[in-house]
Amino acid sequence: MTTPATPDAPASAPLLDLHSLVVSVRRRRRLWSALALLGLLAGAAVAVLLPPPPTAVTKVLVAHQQDQPNDPGTLIRTDAALLHTTRIAGAALKAMGSPERPEDFMEDYEGLGLTNNLLQITVTGDSDAEAVARAGALADAFVADHVRRIREAADAEAKTLLEQQARMREELDRVNEAIGDGPPQGGPQDSATMESLFARRAELTSRVTDFGQRAAEARVGTPRLVAGTQIVDAPRVVRHSLTGAAATNAAIGLVLGLVLGLAVAAVTSVVADRPVLRRDIAAHLGASVIAELPRRTVAPWRRRRTRAARTRLTTSLTRTVRGSAEPVSLLELGCARAAGDLALDLARALAAEEAVVVVDGLPGALLAGRRPRPGDPAVVDGGRAAEAPPGERALGVGSVRPGTPWTDLRYLGTRTVLVVRAGHGSAAWLHTVARQLAEQRVAVIGVVLIDPDPRDRTDGTLWHGLRTGPHTDPHTGLHGRDERPARNNGGGTSHAVRAVGDGPRRTERRPMPAARVPDSDQEAR
């Protein structure tokens, strides 16, 4: 059987809600901002505390016998690789008279091919003078090795050609001896033999001449290649700017820290599964968001607005408590101090017309242990709630955090307002709270959301699916019996307080679905 989809209750939820993910990451801005700042400071500290060693650079023009206009840089990369050999490193150290091992010296320099024939050599040292001396010795050793290899290659080629020419000369001498002083007197067979000998002599003479020319040409190009391989940029010290290096490293550290912080915030948001949108919190608790209050106000221009919102919420809750024949309580999740302050404000407002006692069920007796101010109502510990005078109205304040004794919540009040901090409880725990309150027959009037996301435009009002069952107040719906819809002009709840019973009410009847399968344990009850 397929559950019919309604506008407020979609048939299926997405596997990953990007809206909730973005809001969760934004709420963790302290984490990724701290990591970004840490990366910024670490980058700048690295540039200051670990400055680069003295460095010298030189450039060598390298001529190759196999140079081609379309060479992709294979020859110059070969030269850069040859630069990192113990033979060249050892020759440079020998020229400087240094006892350092060639393997250790190879770690202090590098070669980079700038073009097909231009090699840049970068060398570090303990001082500027040592770096320059090392760069010069290394460049000279490379040029000498390159010239030596060119000459050895030319000499080897010329030697091979001359050896071939010598063998051709020996064969030519043998042919000349066979021919003799003149043509022999004989038959046609002897004439054919002489003709072949003359042809062979002519061929050998041509090849001897060719090998001689090639041997000469093999050495002709060597001086040009030797002259073309030279140091074109004398070794010089590379100047490092501490300010530029610090700025570059700081920027790199800032980017890396920011990326790492965003990644950690995103992963922890997905793994923790802590609802932050009023839509999700209302859906998991099975009660509408009836009011919102910021957790703290730092900006001076927002304090007045926060005090006004808190006053409106207190006035609204005062009317709700006065109109309720059953005791009312405030149960907090992640905001014990805010719930305690709200309970005291509510008790002060009620004390103007009737006697009120606040039953403190918060962890650590937060209200009972504080010093009372003049005009504050009486506060008793939750364990002594039965000692309260019979004629006074009891206003309970407790907690639904993990480890809560659920059986004591009913003694604080059979009707309650949940004061929940956004993003504090996981989705599983919000379901647990809703189920436990239903089992204890504690009716939820609504949810007061503390520290909401300022850019949240979702609707925290549950319009469909009234809760019915043996453990539910028949006069309390999912959207709250005494509340107004928490919406603004943008389709979501505004950032000011939407308090219960504040202002004229507007009753709107909406058609209920004919049949609906419960999608949670609370609705099933």
Side-chain angles (χ1 to χ4, degrees):
M1 179 178 178
T2 305
T3 304
T6 61
D8 290 352
S12 61
L15 182 62
L16 180 62
D17 191 351
L18 294 180
H19 187 190
S20 300
L21 179 61
V22 171
V23 173
S24 300
V25 172
R26 186 169 61 242
R27 289 178 66 87
R28 287 174 169 82
R29 55 184 174 270
R30 289 186 177 181
L31 172 63
W32 48 263
S33 298
L35 289 179
L37 180 60
L38 181 61
L40 176 68
L41 297 178
V46 167
V48 174
L49 300 178
L50 299 177
T55 306
V57 64
T58 183
K59 295 178 183 178
V60 179
L61 181 64
V62 184
H64 304 97
Q65 189 173 4
Q66 300 85 6
D67 273 338
Q68 298 293 334
N70 57 351
D71 180 29
T74 305
L75 298 176
I76 198 66
R77 286 197 298 269
T78 302
D79 294 332
L82 289 174
L83 184 66
H84 281 79
T85 57
T86 56
R87 183 174 65 184
I88 296 179
L93 293 174
K94 184 177 180 181
M96 292 186 298
S98 174
E100 187 178 1
R101 295 174 52 197
E103 293 80 2
D104 299 335
F105 180 50
M106 289 168 56
E107 298 178 358
D108 297 338
Y109 68 85
E110 63 178 3
L112 177 63
L114 302 179
T115 63
N116 291 346
N117 299 97
L118 190 60
L119 178 66
Q120 177 178 289
I121 302 175
T122 305
V123 188
T124 60
D126 296 335
S127 62
D128 292 343
E130 181 181 358
V132 171
R134 282 184 164 193
L138 187 62
D140 293 337
F142 175 78
V143 171
D145 182 79
H146 186 74
V147 170
R148 181 183 58 80
R149 285 187 285 108
I150 291 176
R151 288 176 175 171
E152 288 179 354
D155 293 340
E157 184 179 1
K159 182 180 178 181
T160 302
L161 294 174
L162 291 177
E163 289 177 354
Q164 293 290 340
Q165 185 186 34
R167 287 195 295 269
M168 293 298 104
R169 286 183 182 277
E170 293 177 358
E171 187 176 356
L172 179 60
D173 293 339
R174 290 193 298 270
V175 171
N176 288 332
E177 290 177 359
I179 292 177
D181 297 335
Q185 302 294 328
Q189 185 176 2
D190 295 335
S191 300
T193 302
M194 292 301 297
E195 289 179 2
S196 63
L197 290 175
F198 280 115
R200 180 62 178 167
R201 185 176 63 177
E203 180 184 358
L204 291 174
T205 302
S206 176
R207 296 185 65 179
V208 168
T209 304
D210 181 59
F211 279 122
Q213 293 177 355
R214 291 172 59 185
E217 291 175 357
R219 290 190 174 94
V220 167
T222 302
R224 179 179 60 85
L225 297 177
V226 171
T229 302
Q230 56 182 328
I231 300 175
V232 294
D233 190 5
R236 55 184 176 82
V237 178
V238 178
R239 300 299 178 185
H240 296 283
S241 174
L242 180 59
T243 304
T248 303
N249 293 351
I252 295 175
L254 174 66
V255 173
L256 293 179
L258 181 61
V259 172
L260 179 61
L262 291 176
V264 171
V267 171
T268 54
S269 299
V270 174
V271 173
D273 190 19
R274 299 179 182 272
V276 293
L277 301 178
R278 64 174 68 90
R279 173 193 63 198
D280 300 333
I281 295 176
H284 291 303
L285 287 174
S288 297
V289 177
I290 60 176
E292 296 177 355
L293 282 178
R295 185 184 179 190
R296 61 176 62 89
T297 303
V298 179
W301 59 87
R302 293 184 179 178
R303 295 177 182 175
R304 184 175 181 180
R305 185 185 305 175
T306 302
R307 287 195 297 267
R310 188 170 176 175
T311 302
R312 288 197 302 270
L313 174 59
T314 303
T315 304
S316 175
L317 292 179
T318 302
R319 285 196 292 265
T320 301
V321 174
R322 287 173 182 168
S324 175
E326 303 177 9
V328 179
S329 64
L330 302 179
L331 301 180
E332 64 87 22
L333 180 59
C335 49
R337 187 173 299 277
D341 295 340
L342 185 60
L344 291 178
D345 292 343
L346 180 58
R348 295 188 189 102
L350 292 173
E353 298 183 2
E354 57 181 330
V356 180
V357 58
V358 179
V359 180
D360 183 11
L362 294 173
L366 183 63
L367 298 182
R370 64 182 297 177
R371 179 180 300 178
R373 294 185 300 177
D376 282 354
V379 179
V380 297
D381 190 8
R384 299 183 302 166
E387 302 176 4
E392 295 183 355
R393 176 184 292 273
L395 177 64
V397 54
S399 175
V400 289
R401 64 179 59 184
T404 298
W406 302 105
T407 55
D408 294 344
L409 297 181
R410 185 169 177 81
Y411 296 98
L412 296 177
T414 55
R415 302 186 67 195
T416 185
V417 175
L418 295 176
V419 185
V420 181
R421 177 186 172 189
H424 180 77
S426 63
W429 184 251
L430 296 182
H431 279 282
T432 301
V433 170
R435 184 173 63 253
Q436 292 291 343
L437 291 178
E439 291 181 354
Q440 297 300 321
R441 299 183 181 181
V442 177
V444 180
I445 300 175
V447 178
V448 176
L449 194 61
I450 304 298
D451 192 21
D453 183 72
R455 300 182 183 179
D456 184 9
R457 296 295 184 269
T458 60
D459 190 2
T461 304
L462 303 182
W463 293 96
H464 295 290
L466 293 178
R467 294 183 301 175
T468 57
H471 305 305
T472 308
D473 186 355
H475 302 289
T476 304
L478 286 176
H479 62 282
R481 185 185 66 179
D482 299 318
E483 67 181 68
R484 294 190 291 111
R487 294 191 177 186
N488 62 2
N489 297 332
T493 316
S494 63
H495 306 311
V497 168
R498 290 93 183 164
V500 294
D502 188 9
R505 300 180 184 175
R506 178 177 300 174
T507 304
E508 181 179 356
R509 295 175 177 264
R510 297 201 175 197
M512 299 298 293
R516 181 172 180 269
V517 177
D519 54 357
S520 65
D521 296 341
Q522 183 177 355
E523 293 186 17
R525 293 188 180 88

